[in-house]
Amino acid sequence: MTTSDPAAAERNALRALLGMVSDELGAPLAPEWERAAWVVPRSAFVPDRVYLGDGLEPCDRGEAPDTWLRSVYADDPVVTQINDGVEPGDGERWPSSSASAPSIVFRMLHMLDVREGHQVLEIGTGTGWNAGLLAHVVGPDRVTTVEVDAALACGAGERLRNRGVRAAVITGDGAEGYVDSAPYDRLVATCSVRSVPRPWVDQVKPGGVILTPWESPWFCYGLLRMVVDGNGTAAGRFSPHSAFMLMRNQRTDLRIFRDVVRDDHRPDESATGLPPWRVAGDDPAARFALGLRLRDVWCTWHDDPDVAGVASRLWIATTDATSWAAVDWDGKADDRFTVWQHGPRRLWDEVAAAYAWWLRNDRPGPGRFGLTVAAQGESVWLDDPGRPLSPGGG
């Protein structure tokens, strides 16, 4: 890619991206979304500074235009903000906002099934590109988008205006929706949630659709598509796609040695034959199912923990930091692992029971699970709403 003819380079890059998106979706991109991609190109919404690589190193459009353009037109997410917009200095860098991978953007727009004239609420404006695509299809003044970060909302609003897009950008808590423009035909979130906010259901018309990325403390994965009925209830199924940043007011900022484990804790020791990587490894179906069963349990790996005889350790803890467990692998045996458990709950026992339940039910993937939101709360189910999951491992 060269900057000798920037306009031609961008056209070629966008054309190539649309081909990659169609390949990823397994079908040509719908004509209305392809037209939208040309009218509101991604490059008009991604900010001039992005953060690349595992180290989240800044890349400025003015200083490295070729690198910037390649990142914008790759079918990958692009980090657009770190540390909630606070300069980290020499401290830890972590992503706090990003432009989602284009293929998942268009997959979600397809799943949302928006039509011209629909009233749409978007939760999580980010760069504003998704709102621009939506507005191109549903029409002017039909999209309301809510962003909790005032700086992000301001930047997105300016980019939308510069492209002539008429959409309402609201700075506020997306969990509350935006009642002033309700009711909506469609509601889409571009951040993941661990629980569906009740205002979303209340602000969507009967027959309307809610589409949101999903996360449990155990595993960030999945999309949830729900349809609202006329009785204040929404229900729908998960699908095995995506991982999004968590809605800010649902974050859990916990660290094992800062918040969970204390020097005076005396954990109980036992052993297990269940390899910890079976429950927290590379199988997304198992991890997704455990996340639904154990809604307040999270885990993290600690390789080479500087403990004699331990090559790797899986830490498990409750989100209220009252119970924890650790499972140690010595790097040799694959059929015996040391277990440590502390607190009122035996967390490894719960995890093992949830995994055994998953095996007994033929290893269900995300598509076999669903969720119902009613006045009395949420209910997760397997295969149909008549098979609700009881909380816990068994």
Side-chain angles (χ1 to χ4, degrees):
M1 191 178 298
T2 176
T3 56
S4 60
D5 185 351
E10 182 165 345
R11 288 194 299 271
N12 291 336
L14 177 52
R15 191 174 294 111
L17 173 62
L18 293 175
M20 288 186 285
V21 168
S22 294
D23 289 344
E24 180 66 24
L25 298 180
L29 190 61
E32 64 270 24
W33 295 119
E34 183 168 351
R35 288 192 294 269
W38 286 100
V39 173
V40 284
R42 196 181 192 216
S43 59
F45 290 87
V46 174
D48 289 343
R49 168 170 285 194
V50 296
Y51 301 86
L52 305 179
D54 294 339
L56 296 176
E57 296 299 325
C59 171
D60 290 299
R61 185 177 194 174
E63 297 177 2
D66 291 352
T67 302
W68 183 90
L69 193 63
R70 278 196 297 270
S71 69
V72 168
Y73 283 112
D75 189 20
D76 294 309
V78 180
V79 175
T80 57
Q81 185 198 68
I82 60 174
N83 298 60
D84 287 343
V86 178
E87 179 57 46
D90 295 331
E92 178 185 4
R93 295 182 176 195
W94 45 273
S96 52
S97 188
S98 67
S100 302
S103 58
I104 193 60
V105 168
F106 287 110
R107 183 183 297 279
M108 291 178 66
L109 292 172
H110 173 73
M111 293 174 66
L112 195 61
D113 190 28
V114 294
R115 311 290 175 82
E116 183 178 0
H118 273 170
Q119 197 77 18
V120 180
L121 176 63
E122 179 192 40
I123 307 299
T125 312
T127 66
W129 186 48
N130 200 64
L133 294 170
L134 282 165
H136 181 76
V137 169
V138 302
D141 302 318
R142 292 283 180 173
V143 174
T144 300
T145 179
V146 181
E147 172 59 55
V148 70
D149 187 303
L152 293 179
C154 180
E158 182 177 356
R159 295 182 198 104
L160 288 164
R161 289 189 296 272
N162 288 342
R163 298 300 300 190
V165 177
R166 287 162 52 185
V169 181
I170 307 299
T171 302
D173 182 357
E176 298 299 323
Y178 189 68
V179 70
D180 289 1
S181 299
Y184 302 98
D185 299 282
R186 300 289 187 268
L187 185 153
V188 60
T190 62
C191 54
S192 61
V193 297
R194 293 177 176 174
S195 180
V196 177
R198 181 68 217 182
W200 293 6
V201 178
D202 295 338
Q203 293 174 25
V204 172
K205 299 175 183 178
V209 173
I210 296 172
L211 178 65
T212 182
W214 184 259
E215 175 176 310
S216 68
W218 193 266
F219 191 38
C220 178
Y221 187 63
L223 293 173
L224 174 63
R225 187 183 191 274
M226 312 177 77
V227 177
V228 178
D229 70 9
N231 301 308
T233 298
R237 291 183 178 274
F238 294 95
S239 63
H241 303 290
S242 87
F244 281 70
M245 294 181 188
L246 185 63
M247 177 176 281
R248 291 192 186 184
N249 69 0
Q250 294 190 12
R251 287 176 180 171
T252 301
D253 181 20
L254 289 174
R255 301 191 184 189
I256 289 293
F257 295 113
R258 185 192 68 189
D259 307 305
V260 179
V261 177
R262 297 286 182 264
D263 290 341
D264 62 348
H265 287 177
R266 297 294 180 265
D268 298 326
E269 181 181 357
S270 59
T272 182
L274 174 61
W277 49 82
R278 295 277 180 85
V279 299
D282 295 330
D283 189 337
R287 294 175 66 190
F288 183 84
L290 264 64
L292 288 180
R293 296 305 309 269
L294 305 167
R295 295 283 291 272
D296 66 341
V297 180
W298 62 284
C299 64
T300 186
W301 284 96
H302 190 178
D303 293 323
D304 298 321
D306 195 24
V307 177
V310 179
S312 184
R313 171 175 286 174
L314 176 66
W315 286 102
I316 304 166
T318 53
T319 53
D320 64 4
T322 60
S323 297
W324 61 265
V327 184
D328 290 344
W329 178 50
D330 63 7
K332 301 173 184 177
D334 288 341
D335 58 355
R336 182 177 173 83
F337 307 86
T338 302
V339 178
W340 308 91
Q341 300 190 89
H342 176 82
R345 291 169 60 178
R346 306 286 86 178
L347 288 187
W348 179 250
D349 297 347
E350 292 185 24
V351 169
Y355 183 74
W357 173 90
W358 181 71
L359 293 177
R360 289 196 306 271
N361 284 276
D362 300 322
R363 306 172 186 242
R368 286 184 59 190
F369 292 98
L371 185 139
T372 298
V373 180
Q376 61 269 32
E378 288 184 353
S379 173
V380 178
W381 38 269
L382 178 66
D383 294 329
D384 66 73
R387 295 183 63 188
L389 275 63
S390 58

